[in-house]
Amino acid sequence: MTNRPEPIRRRVPRNTLNRERVLGAAVDLLDHAGPDAFTMRALAQRLGVGTMAVYSHFKAKDEIIDAVRERLLAEVELPTVGSGRTPRDELRELCRAVYRLLADHPSVLHLLTVRPVHGDEGTAVVERILGLLLGAGLDRSAAARAQTALMQYTVGAALWTARGRQRSGDQEDPGTRLRTRFAALPAERYPHLVDLAPELAAAQDGLPQYEHGLDALLSGLLAGH
Amino acid sequence: MTNRPEPIRRRVPRNTLNRERVLGAAVDLLDHAGPDAFTMRALAQRLGVGTMAVYSHFKAKDEIIDAVRERLLAEVELPTVGSGRTPRDELRELCRAVYRLLADHPSVLHLLTVRPVHGDEGTAVVERILGLLLGAGLDRSAAARAQTALMQYTVGAALWTARGRQRSGDQEDPGTRLRTRFAALPAERYPHLVDLAPELAAAQDGLPQYEHGLDALLSGLLAGH
DNA sequence: ACCTGAACACCGTTCAAGT
DNA sequence: ACCTGAACACCGTTCAAGT
């Protein structure tokens, strides 16, 4: 891709490795090859550098994990304030932005489950959501619980989708695989499951399913306000 | 030798190792020591057996993971049919049973995120939930989406709680830690977050928080039926 | 200060061998 | 058939050494 021949994999000259470059390669590696392939050795190789060079910029692998998560969570693009006609519209937009980030980067999801959050990642989103909930008339306690419930559902839905996509080494998409699996169950024991196999398969469609649940959750949380 | 001295760690006699014993030790190890300590070598040691003995009963570690997940998911105790006064009551009970299982065995949660579901685990719960949703008047598509949303929220909430408990090597409980962290944020940028720090910390209380969100979700899903 | 290669203590799993 | 110990190809990280 470069203009130079580079007959031999040239070593990166000094001082060109830095935290930013390491994090970029880490995100690439995670999104492209998955968490299992996210290895210090693979990361260094991708950077064209000895394995231990990375340790000059990060104390340990866990520190890279934290930094990657922080970096990606900070990337959530907040819809402009007042973009929705109602607080509820704006809540939907915010939650969908978080879902989209998690769905686009299954690795972040994995990082969330592997290591708890330390820093103030995602605080901007939380702040906005809390403001909208209070603005909708919820009291302090209800707003806090609603915010937590929205994040819990969002993480769960994203995880659900990522898990379905995980085994896409197979030809079939997760929906069809799930449909055939359910349809093959004994109909006497699981009549509804067998009967609703197509509908259950259709509910594995990521964003539309997320929005269905999100709307229900928002309705329940904002009921009476 | 008498029947009991055992001056030297005696080797388990032949044919006493079987799949059940391996799975029991695996659950113990996972719940007690966490996923990182769940090692083939540690598992064998706990069974008083050479590392490779386990491979006589399971092809690989992944197969153990699948079997553990299957075993625990089958353990979900289904409330007796018709125990609730309304379908909604019964739905709550079922979902809470799933949440309790996941919260009690954080390892299952990890196993769920690490490997996708293959067999027909948890089908009994799904069947019951679908029946109740249809009984409540939801159409086929709405029932399938509602069932998926309920499971997504349940997994997300359980994961959220488990993640908070993960670092309990520290003295403070996750609530206080989160409160102090939020309270320490710059109040100009995050006024609501700082203000609601105590309420947000209180929302990390596991089951009560789960039930709050569950009620809202059920209200939204069953609205108009 | 930044980067290297060898080495250490792990890991899952293969394999030939024992009973 | 069931179990063993050595060995292989990995992993994260320490360490002494190079520039």
Side-chain angles (χ1 to χ4, degrees), chain B residues 161-184:
Chain B
T161 307
R163 191 182 46 168
R165 286 202 190 118
Q166 208 165 322
R167 282 183 71 74
S168 52
D170 316 344
Q171 306 88 315
E172 320 169 16
D173 78 308
T176 5
R177 197 171 52 246
L178 193 132
R179 186 173 69 238
T180 48
R181 216 180 69 204
F182 281 166

Side-chain angles (χ1 to χ4, degrees), chain B:
Chain B
M1 320 261 170
T2 66
N3 50 349
R4 262 323 167 105
E6 276 193 352
I8 286 177
R9 180 67 60 102
R10 194 162 15 154
R11 189 143 293 148
V12 169
R14 275 186 165 276
N15 288 342
T16 52
L17 193 62
N18 53 45
R19 287 177 71 96
E20 265 318 297
R21 260 177 43 82
V22 172
L23 288 185
V27 174
D28 282 353
L29 190 58
L30 276 163
D31 283 343
H32 181 271
D36 286 345
F38 177 45
T39 294
M40 293 303 277
R41 284 170 167 88
L43 182 61
Q45 195 177 18
R46 180 173 279 248
L47 288 161
V49 106
T51 306
M52 297 315 298
V54 182
Y55 284 85
S56 299
H57 301 89
F58 293 91
K59 271 209 297 272
K61 191 185 184 183
D62 278 352
E63 202 179 285
I64 303 182
I65 291 178
D66 289 342
V68 166
R69 199 185 43 209
E70 200 165 345
R71 177 194 231 242
L72 289 177
L73 282 184
E75 256 177 30
V76 179
E77 30 175 296
L78 300 180
T80 50
V81 178
S83 59
R85 281 155 309 182
T86 66
R88 185 185 163 135
D89 282 345
E90 234 166 298
L91 280 168
R92 287 192 71 221
E93 274 190 61
L94 277 164
C95 290
R96 282 176 49 190
V98 177
Y99 176 84
R100 230 178 291 121
L101 175 86
L102 296 178
D104 288 351
H105 297 279
S107 46
V108 202
L109 214 46
H110 183 255
L111 301 186
L112 276 174
T113 69
V114 160
R115 269 177 74 76
V117 178
H118 294 87
D120 48 344
E121 310 151 18
T123 34
V125 192
V126 176
E127 173 68 17
R128 282 280 294 277
I129 293 180
L130 284 176
L132 288 164
L133 290 168
L134 291 171
L138 269 64
D139 65 47
R140 301 163 55 91
S141 170
R145 295 220 106 111
Q147 196 276 327
T148 306
L150 286 169
M151 289 301 100
Q152 289 174 329
Y153 171 64
T154 303
V155 168
L159 192 70
W160 195 272
T161 307
R163 191 182 46 168
R165 286 202 190 118
Q166 208 165 322
R167 282 183 71 74
S168 52
D170 316 344
Q171 306 88 315
E172 320 169 16
D173 78 308
T176 5
R177 197 171 52 246
L178 193 132
R179 186 173 69 238
T180 48
R181 216 180 69 204
F182 281 166
L185 290 172
E188 320 84 62
R189 284 191 62 177
Y190 308 110
H192 299 121
L193 239 165
V194 172
D195 189 36
L196 295 188
E199 282 82 4
L200 285 166
Q204 313 302 313
D205 52 0
L207 189 57
Q209 165 64 27
Y210 173 70
E211 289 180 323
H212 185 90
L214 179 62
D215 280 332
L217 185 56
L218 280 172
S219 294
L221 291 171
L222 301 177
H225 293 94

Side-chain angles (χ1 to χ4, degrees), chain A residues 14 38-41 52 55 60-61:
Chain A
R14 276 185 165 280
F38 177 47
T39 293
M40 293 302 278
R41 285 169 167 90
M52 297 314 299
Y55 285 85
K61 192 185 184 184

